[in-house]
Amino acid sequence: MEQITLHSIEKASEEAVKLWALSSTQYPFQNRLIQDNANATIIEVLSSFALNARRAMEVLPPKVKYSLTAARWKWEPIKKGEKVVGLWDALNRVIHAQKLYVGFERLPESVSIIDGGAIIVPYIQAETDRKELAFIDPFALSHAYLYEVLPDLIELRDRQFKGESGNA
């Protein structure tokens, strides 16, 4: 496996863990500083994750599909728009996004652990020059990578390593 691929596997793994945390957090409803910082951080982490995860996945068989099935929050699109269900499609939309928005939604008071109420990030919205604005679950992205893609990449790396060391 090429060094660039190994680097991307490591970087995507780190960013997936960050994305997991950022999309699982309750943010204060009444604190714009925290919201703005979270927004910028999520966009930065999501962009790095998408680029590196897709690069890493290019060594996997193209017929293998990874679905975005695990959700941290129960949600449905708040307005008209497709809910992206495939990891590869979601990564491409983020990489090629001309519009990329973090979707903050208010939690019910009974669920909020923050005085004054809380908001969460159940989705990202991405639009490219070829695809309309669509909803992507950031938690599902990280989950699919960490629990489905990463084990496949590790298995492939180990198989290749055994093949190389067996020929020495």
Side-chain angles (χ1 to χ4, degrees):
M1 195 173 286
E2 295 295 325
Q3 201 61 36
I4 187 69
T5 304
L6 294 171
H7 171 77
S8 287
I9 292 168
E10 183 176 328
K11 188 68 176 168
S13 300
E14 292 169 3
E15 300 295 24
V17 171
K18 292 176 192 174
L19 192 57
W20 181 295
L22 291 164
S23 60
S24 295
T25 300
Q26 292 188 26
Y27 299 94
F29 177 69
Q30 299 176 4
N31 191 313
R32 195 75 187 154
L33 176 63
I34 292 174
Q35 292 171 19
D36 289 347
N37 192 289
N39 186 73
T41 302
I42 290 167
I43 294 291
E44 183 179 309
V45 168
L46 178 67
S47 297
S48 177
F49 167 74
L51 177 67
N52 285 290
R54 199 184 93 171
R55 181 182 292 142
M57 289 175 65
E58 288 177 354
V59 300
L60 295 172
K63 65 181 178 224
V64 177
K65 305 296 181 208
Y66 300 94
S67 298
L68 302 179
T69 56
R72 167 65 177 93
W73 308 102
K74 291 183 181 176
W75 66 279
E76 288 300 320
I78 55 170
K79 56 187 174 187
K80 184 181 177 219
E82 176 186 1
K83 192 172 179 181
V84 179
V85 296
L87 179 60
W88 187 265
D89 184 19
L91 296 174
N92 279 333
R93 288 176 192 248
V94 170
I95 291 168
H96 298 290
Q98 293 182 333
K99 295 180 183 175
L100 191 61
Y101 305 113
V102 176
F104 287 99
E105 293 294 328
R106 186 102 187 242
L107 272 179
E109 292 296 323
S110 61
V111 179
S112 173
I113 59 170
I114 299 173
D115 287 340
I119 54 177
I120 56 166
V121 179
Y123 57 84
I124 304 294
Q125 290 181 285
E127 179 179 294
T128 72
D129 61 338
R130 295 184 180 162
K131 300 207 176 192
E132 291 185 20
L133 198 63
F135 295 87
I136 300 168
D137 186 325
F139 181 87
L141 283 174
S142 61
H143 188 279
Y145 180 82
L146 292 170
Y147 284 91
E148 296 177 44
V149 174
L150 185 57
D152 287 353
L153 289 168
I154 291 169
E155 181 183 335
L156 178 61
R157 180 201 65 198
D158 292 350
R159 266 197 332 259
Q160 288 181 351
F161 179 72
K162 283 181 183 177
E164 290 172 7
S165 63
N167 294 332

